[in-house]
Amino acid sequence: MKALTANRLIDGDVVFWKAGKWVERFGDADLFDDPGAAEAAEGQAKSQPTVVIDPYLIDLMESDGLWAPLSYRERIRALGPTNHPSHGKQAEGGEVIEALLHADGAARSSGRVNLIKRK
């Protein structure tokens, strides 16, 4: 399973792909189990260079019956600023936030590793 993420240019906030547009919450993101659909969404996202920067697919894992990013880095990005638990997206709470907080593993997303290898 994969999700598509990027940073919004206007404010640098982490955003996720849903039905052809960007949303701020990981819990609202489209999850792709078909590699072709994921790559098609990534291609469509990359055609929006004035909206976001560096869209890429992230690997997901099951956590507490929900999905969470596999990599620790991506879980931090999905939770918002980590300077204090009462700030950012993590302060909203809920099932998705709990799944993100309790997910374990620190593997890198394969999409990001491929991006790093290309540089």
Side-chain angles (χ1 to χ4, degrees):
M1 195 70 74
K2 294 189 180 285
L4 183 60
T5 186
N7 287 87
R8 192 169 41 211
L9 281 173
I10 196 165
D11 60 5
D13 200 14
V14 175
V15 291
F16 300 91
W17 186 258
K18 179 178 178 124
K21 61 182 183 174
W22 296 102
V23 295
E24 293 181 358
R25 306 291 175 257
F26 173 76
D28 297 333
D30 285 341
L31 306 182
F32 301 99
D33 58 359
D34 174 23
E39 290 174 10
E42 184 179 24
Q44 188 179 1
K46 287 183 177 181
S47 71
Q48 300 179 352
T50 60
V51 178
V52 296
I53 187 165
D54 192 25
Y56 60 94
L57 294 166
I58 57 173
D59 295 316
L60 305 177
M61 63 178 200
E62 197 168 345
S63 172
D64 293 341
L66 298 170
W67 291 96
L70 177 64
S71 78
Y72 184 66
R73 175 186 189 271
E74 297 304 333
R75 289 193 301 270
I76 288 173
R77 290 180 75 242
L79 287 169
T82 58
N83 58 339
H84 193 276
S86 66
H87 296 163
K89 298 170 187 171
Q90 61 191 330
E92 296 171 3
E95 287 182 327
V96 173
I97 299 299
E98 288 303 314
L100 289 167
L101 290 171
H102 292 105
D104 57 3
R108 289 185 176 266
S109 292
S110 59
R112 192 70 179 165
V113 169
N114 290 339
L115 180 65
I116 292 167
K117 287 180 183 176
R118 283 186 270 151
K119 289 185 177 182

